[in-house]
Amino acid sequence: MSDCDRSMNINLLKETVFRKLCDVLDKNNIKGWRKLGEMVGSDRRFKVSSEEMEMCSLKVLQLEGSPSRMLLRLMGERGCTLGQLVDILQTMGQTEALKCVKPPSGLDEALHNIIDTCREQAVPFVFALSRKALGRCVNKAVPVSLVGVFNYDGAQDHYHKMIELSSEARRAYEVMIENLEMTSQAEQEDLEAHPNTEPQPPPCSEEVEEPEYIKLWKKMLKNECNHKLLNFEEKYKSSSAASDSKAQMTEEEAS
């Protein structure tokens, strides 16, 4: 992003970009327009009052109303620039909204194009290791961003196991995010229904139940350790016992 772009007022954004940004912030219950309003409310440069936040929330009742659009317009009227908005979104961790206003770098754009092509052609892809570790795996002295497997003959078991584990991990992550969003939405609805009620802390229990994704990972690790290609401990024990018995028989014959 150039200095000229960063100094541009957000109200001067193209309508297509502005609409896409508003859609992202409207649909996200955790890092959406309410979270943006909380951060902006404590900023002296373009402070947004609680009454103005209430006006933004009433936009939901309109047919095509957008709380995010009104909030961003208020920020723009108070001099918020594109660079300042990007900094706030980065602090929020709102990567999806950043894609709307911040052009990707050359490497990011190339990776996104490859991922989109894989999805279109139903080719599986897996995120693993760091760039340096990936480079060492293929015997390169430089960081490597992507490795393509064109032929996995001779390593079918490892390949299918990798795809299976990555699919299960992706499903577990999606379930975790969905549960977090549902919990946040339920808490927000309860807070709006009872505005004068202070939120009660969850009851403390002696035994804390593990989340589902932790149980799933433990199950996958257990299955992976029992895999016939990785179960080397029993083979080592059996070979050690065989060598000990053979040595004992040799000593008896010598005596």
Side-chain angles (χ1 to χ4, degrees):
M1 184 181 295
S2 65
D3 294 337
C4 181
D5 292 332
R6 287 186 61 88
S7 63
M8 181 179 65
N9 190 290
I10 59 175
N11 282 341
L12 300 178
L13 285 171
K14 294 181 180 179
E15 179 60 27
T16 53
V17 176
F18 203 85
R19 188 187 306 115
K20 190 181 298 183
L21 175 62
C22 292
D23 289 341
V24 171
L25 294 175
D26 285 340
K27 294 177 181 178
N28 195 310
N29 296 319
I30 299 176
K31 300 177 182 178
W33 68 274
R34 289 186 182 276
K35 181 66 175 178
L36 177 62
E38 291 176 6
M39 300 190 67
V40 172
S42 58
D43 196 319
R44 295 181 178 179
R45 294 171 297 179
F46 19 80
K47 187 175 178 61
V48 177
S49 64
S50 57
E51 290 80 9
E52 290 171 328
M53 286 293 295
E54 184 67 24
M55 292 173 58
C56 293
S57 64
L58 293 176
K59 288 292 182 179
V60 179
L61 304 177
Q62 300 179 7
L63 183 60
E64 295 183 356
S66 171
S68 302
R69 178 177 288 270
M70 183 173 180
L71 177 59
L72 292 172
R73 291 301 187 197
L74 288 172
M75 293 171 59
E77 291 172 1
R78 287 157 198 185
C80 180
T81 64
L82 183 57
Q84 293 168 339
L85 177 61
V86 167
D87 294 339
I88 296 173
L89 294 176
Q90 286 177 338
T91 305
M92 290 172 55
Q94 181 44 278
T95 55
E96 191 175 357
L98 282 171
K99 293 177 184 178
C100 301
V101 297
K102 186 178 180 181
S105 62
L107 179 58
D108 292 338
E109 187 175 4
L111 287 174
H112 282 297
N113 291 336
I114 293 173
I115 291 172
D116 292 339
T117 304
C118 290
R119 286 172 174 165
E120 292 173 0
Q121 301 182 8
V123 175
F125 57 92
V126 177
F127 295 94
L129 307 178
S130 63
R131 295 180 62 209
K132 290 184 178 179
L134 199 58
R136 289 194 296 268
C137 289
V138 294
N139 199 23
K140 298 289 185 181
V142 295
V144 175
S145 301
L146 184 142
V147 173
V149 179
F150 296 96
N151 188 355
Y152 54 86
D153 289 345
Q156 293 91 337
D157 291 341
H158 292 293
Y159 176 80
H160 293 302
K161 190 67 177 178
M162 176 187 67
I163 298 300
E164 178 186 351
L165 288 174
S166 63
S167 299
E168 291 180 358
R170 188 177 290 112
R171 285 195 296 269
Y173 179 78
E174 291 174 353
V175 170
M176 181 184 67
I177 295 299
E178 184 178 355
N179 291 338
L180 286 174
E181 291 181 350
M182 291 176 62
T183 302
S184 177
Q185 185 175 4
E187 291 177 354
Q188 186 64 38
E189 292 176 355
D190 184 64
L191 185 62
E192 292 178 354
H194 307 87
N196 297 326
T197 304
E198 295 183 358
Q200 298 294 330
C204 298
S205 57
E206 296 181 358
E207 296 182 0
V208 180
E209 186 178 359
E210 292 182 338
E212 290 297 326
Y213 67 94
I214 295 294
K215 295 179 181 178
L216 180 61
W217 271 111
K218 286 185 176 181
K219 181 180 178 182
M220 287 190 292
L221 290 174
K222 183 178 179 181
N223 294 337
E224 184 178 1
C225 291
N226 292 332
H227 196 266
K228 62 182 181 179
L229 295 178
L230 300 176
N231 194 8
F232 58 88
E233 292 184 0
E234 294 182 1
K235 294 181 180 180
Y236 176 76
K237 290 179 181 178
S238 60
S239 62
S240 299
S243 61
D244 292 342
S245 60
K246 186 176 180 181
Q248 185 177 2
M249 291 175 62
T250 306
E251 290 177 359
E252 292 177 354
E253 290 176 356
S255 63

